[in-house]
Amino acid sequence: MKIWIDGHFYDKADAKVSVFDHGLLYGDGVFEGIRAYNGRVFQLKEHIDRLYASAKAVLLNIPMPPAEMTRLVCDAVRVNDLKDAYIRVVVSRGVGDLGLDMRKCKVPTVIIIADKIQLYPEEAYKRGLKVIVSHLRRIAPDTLSPSIKSLNYLNNILARAEASRADCDEAILLNREGYVAECSGDNIFFIRDGKVYTPPVHVGILEGVTRNVAMKLAKEKLGLEVHELIFTVPELYRADEVFVTGTGAEIIGVVLINGRVVADGKPGPLTAKLIRAFREYAKSAESGAPVYEPVKV
Ligand code: PXG
């Protein structure tokens, strides 16, 4: 595996950053998790746009324009001879001293890892996920906005650990007011009477790239009404179907929430249709940037 760091590709064993990098010392930086399907980087423009928006929000100047970053992500996939891949782009504040002052960090560190994708087992899509509602609240938008995909992920990681310890796959986090926000690494949806609902971004969530694709496919391919709605946990208990979306999970049904069985305990029929529509879209030419043809930017 070849990993790109600050202008060069390194073998995995040599792909290292300084212990004085503020990404490590303080979680000071931003990132993206992106997938490639069949030689095409899924929603690459959307991911690049979110990366630059996250960086801008934390006063981080990514040391290359978006067009160059776009090319580099494709290069990383191509150099590793991958068709299906998981790509991690990290931009950290860079090397400084032990203090918080970002002015001491002169050059951001840029890392691009393109690796084989660890797929959820097909069985998980058939069986559905078990989830809990975490005791941790999603970090408040006036503390560190969840719309920024920052390197500070402890809120999510601790919620996910709570799920694992309860023998569950994901954790739902509520916002400060107690409304459903999102999961540790996924956005959440429910379906009731044939209509699709998901929390609006201002509840305090990451605006997931997969979320936006799922909303579009539900409307355009399945002909469903899609609404952004502020709701509480019992709305999920009485839903006809619940599913989550994320780069890793794609779209996957939820069958158990805090010990309550969703509907008949199997992933629902509209969720199954949406999964099929998503997989078809992911394979199609409109889903993203081709890696093995000249990339237009
Ligand atoms: N909410 C949060 C908090 C996330 O971290 C999503 C929603 C879904 O967003 P996308 O753009 O991926 O549809 C995420 C995704 C992984 C992985 O390996 C996923 C995420 C972060 C780290 C790893 O699945 N975030």
Side-chain angles (χ1 to χ4, degrees), residues 184-256:
S184 69
D186 297 288
N187 292 111
I188 189 152
F189 288 71
F190 75 89
I191 302 179
R192 191 147 186 267
D193 296 333
K195 299 189 177 94
V196 180
Y197 301 91
T198 195
V201 173
H202 70 259
V203 158
I205 62 170
L206 184 74
E207 186 176 349
V209 167
T210 320
R211 168 191 185 271
N212 291 349
V213 170
M215 290 170 79
K216 189 174 148 71
L217 293 175
K219 276 184 235 171
E220 294 177 8
K221 300 284 179 196
L222 274 62
L224 302 174
E225 274 184 39
V226 179
H227 299 284
E228 294 187 320
L229 182 74
I230 295 178
F231 60 91
T232 55
V233 173
E235 293 289 345
L236 295 174
Y237 295 156
R238 66 183 193 135
D240 299 324
E241 304 185 28
V242 177
F243 62 87
V244 298
T245 66
T247 294
E250 301 180 331
I251 298 170
I252 189 159
V254 171
V255 294
L256 192 76

Side-chain angles (χ1 to χ4, degrees), residues 31-34 47 50 86 88 120 138 146 149 153 156 160 173 182-188 205-212 245-250:
F31 77 104
E32 278 297 317
I34 313 172
H47 281 288
R50 190 171 67 183
Y86 185 82
R88 172 62 52 91
Y120 275 66
R138 190 76 178 97
K149 203 164 166 66
Y153 248 59
N156 314 59
R160 177 69 69 89
L173 291 108
E182 61 179 336
C183 297
S184 69
D186 297 288
N187 292 111
I188 189 152
I205 62 170
L206 184 74
E207 186 176 349
V209 167
T210 320
R211 168 191 185 271
N212 291 349
T245 66
T247 294
E250 301 180 331

Side-chain angles (χ1 to χ4, degrees), residues 120-189:
Y120 275 66
E122 187 55 31
E123 189 222 331
Y125 295 88
K126 297 228 154 63
R127 170 176 46 81
L129 300 184
K130 297 188 282 185
V131 310
I132 56 155
V133 177
S134 174
H135 291 95
L136 298 167
R137 295 300 175 93
R138 190 76 178 97
I139 192 165
D142 57 352
T143 303
L144 172 64
S145 176
S147 68
I148 299 168
K149 203 164 166 66
S150 85
L151 291 180
N152 190 326
Y153 248 59
L154 264 182
N155 181 227
N156 314 59
I157 286 165
L158 291 174
R160 177 69 69 89
E162 202 182 339
S164 303
R165 289 162 72 91
D167 194 30
C168 285
D169 306 290
E170 249 295 15
I172 295 169
L173 291 108
L174 310 182
N175 73 1
R176 183 44 57 202
E177 289 72 42
Y179 296 105
V180 172
E182 61 179 336
C183 297
S184 69
D186 297 288
N187 292 111
I188 189 152
F189 288 71

